[in-house]
Amino acid sequence: MRPGNRSPVRAPGDLPAPQPSRRRSRPTVHPGAWWLWALSLGTAATRTTNPLLLALLISVSAYVVATHRIPTPTSRAYTAFAQLALAVLLIRLLFAVALGSPIPGTHTLLTLPEVPLPHWAQGIRLGGKVTAEALVFAGYDGLKLATLLICVGAANALAGPARLLKSLPGALYETGVAVVVALTFAPHLIADVQRLRAARRLRGRPDRGLRGLLQVGLPVLEGALERSVALAAAMEARGYGRSAEVPARVRRTTAALTLGGLLGVCAGAYGLLTAEGGTYGIPLLLAGVAAALAGLRLGGRRSLRTRYRPDPWDARAWLVAGSGAAVAALLTLASGRYPDALHPGAVPLVAPTLPLWPAAAILLALLPALVIPKEPS
């Protein structure tokens, strides 16, 4: 045996040294793809008030979240956003009952005592008749907003905002940090409330009612304040806000490209939405997008940060983003061709029907759950 190939001598009872694993973990799907998928479903939800299609959108997002959710702290955001969506729907119905609705109706469900208001409050009504037409209209409107919130919750559950922040261009990093902090505030607040209520139940103290709410609310606010101070200290320690010195010519070019690009995008979008601007809308929109992207790339020179293990944008990311974009595009097309099916009327009352090919278009959003294997936790 050669001296260089001699194996190390171990003492009796010593465990062998761990060998480095040669198996590489599967790269995760780009977080931007999951956000584009979820926001596209939200865009599709804004194109219809049909409760059957909206329920189908909610079911599709829930199935994909259930199959591809990674057990991280942000994965519980879907439940929190679903509860928030339910609250929004109930508040919308409560406002329709208490404040009335401009929707005329002939099917009176109940009549509440009406409170007389002064003359300067004309147009506002408290109490009075509550009709089925007004409740149905408010339910359709509230369900659309609730679906949009659930889609945002699905984006949080499938790809945490922190992962998305890592992939943002350097020019948008500071804006992305502010958005991430805002999006993660509500899930952390709900987690604090659940933890404090569980602690009070274990101690045999009441956790419900007005008294329980007051005794839980103060520690939650105190924890939110402490978390904000700790976050500010961590951001300062990591050099948040520092930027590199760039020539004045580059700064002026960046500002001109970004501002011109945003104006071009606004003018192009306005042209696409109007009948007269169909000829110049698409060129203006494309030119605006190109100028804005060039401005963002130049603005990234001021960023001093580096990326650790960036997420690749591969074929799976194209599939995820493409399936969501296809749903949004097809629902937008269907809203123009079949307005009665996608917007069932409340006056007169008609039962909503399920249009076939818009429903089939929504099922395209299931492709990520059927084709892409679950990511490693």
Side-chain angles (χ1 to χ4, degrees):
M1 178 181 295
R2 297 180 179 176
N5 294 335
R6 187 175 299 172
S7 60
V9 178
R10 297 198 304 267
D14 287 352
L15 296 176
Q19 299 295 324
S21 175
R22 295 181 179 178
R23 182 181 178 184
R24 299 184 60 184
S25 61
R26 188 197 309 273
T28 58
V29 177
H30 197 283
W34 284 123
W35 277 82
L36 285 176
W37 176 85
L39 294 181
S40 298
L41 293 190
T43 304
T46 61
R47 310 310 300 174
T48 178
T49 55
N50 190 322
L52 300 179
L53 293 178
L54 293 175
L56 189 58
L57 280 171
I58 295 174
S59 303
V60 167
S61 68
Y63 182 77
V64 176
V65 168
T67 55
H68 283 67
R69 179 169 54 182
I70 300 176
T72 58
T74 57
S75 63
R76 292 175 295 183
Y78 187 78
T79 306
F81 273 90
Q83 294 173 351
L84 179 63
L86 179 61
V88 167
L89 177 60
L90 293 179
I91 290 173
R92 181 69 179 88
L93 291 175
L94 180 63
F95 277 12
V97 171
L99 302 179
S101 174
I103 302 299
T106 56
H107 299 79
T108 304
L109 299 179
L110 72 158
T111 303
L112 298 175
E114 189 167 354
V115 179
L117 296 176
H119 67 279
W120 51 264
Q122 290 182 359
I124 302 175
R125 179 170 63 87
L126 286 178
K129 290 194 304 181
V130 179
T131 62
E133 289 85 351
L135 280 182
V136 169
F137 179 79
Y140 288 171
D141 199 26
L143 185 59
K144 182 171 68 173
L145 183 56
T147 308
L148 185 58
L149 288 173
I150 289 176
C151 291
V152 176
N156 278 272
L158 292 169
R163 283 185 58 199
L164 181 64
L165 176 64
K166 191 174 66 172
S167 304
L168 283 180
L172 296 178
Y173 181 71
E174 296 180 1
T175 306
V177 170
V179 174
V180 166
V181 171
L183 286 178
T184 53
F185 176 76
H188 286 169
L189 205 63
I190 293 173
D192 287 347
V193 171
Q194 292 176 348
R195 187 174 62 253
L196 288 173
R197 290 182 61 187
R200 291 184 63 83
R201 283 197 298 270
L202 290 176
R203 294 172 183 171
R205 297 177 181 176
D207 62 322
R208 295 181 181 276
L210 181 59
R211 184 179 177 185
L213 180 64
L214 292 176
Q215 292 182 353
V216 168
L218 185 59
V220 167
L221 293 178
E222 185 180 356
L225 181 60
E226 291 179 353
R227 192 182 305 113
S228 302
V229 173
L231 177 63
M235 292 170 70
E236 184 179 2
R238 287 167 173 79
Y240 176 76
R242 295 178 185 172
S243 58
E245 290 294 334
V246 294
R249 176 174 51 83
V250 175
R251 291 201 302 270
R252 288 194 292 268
T253 306
T254 302
L257 286 175
T258 306
L259 184 60
L262 292 178
L263 291 176
V265 168
C266 293
Y270 177 77
L272 288 178
L273 294 176
T274 57
E276 296 80 8
T279 55
Y280 64 85
I282 293 180
L284 267 182
L285 182 62
L286 294 178
V289 170
L293 291 178
L296 291 177
R297 187 171 182 80
L298 275 180
R301 292 186 178 183
R302 299 187 63 187
S303 177
L304 296 173
R305 67 188 182 93
T306 58
R307 294 179 182 177
Y308 177 70
R309 292 183 179 178
D311 293 313
W313 186 281
D314 52 8
R316 298 181 304 162
W318 282 112
L319 176 64
V320 172
S323 63
V327 174
L330 291 175
L331 262 293
T332 302
L333 181 64
S335 66
R337 292 195 175 186
Y338 308 101
D340 295 336
L342 268 69
H343 300 277
V347 182
L349 280 176
V350 292
T353 58
L354 183 65
L356 290 181
W357 78 262
I362 293 176
L363 295 180
L364 288 176
L366 286 175
L367 277 178
L370 302 177
V371 176
I372 297 177
K374 184 179 179 182
E375 297 177 355
S377 59

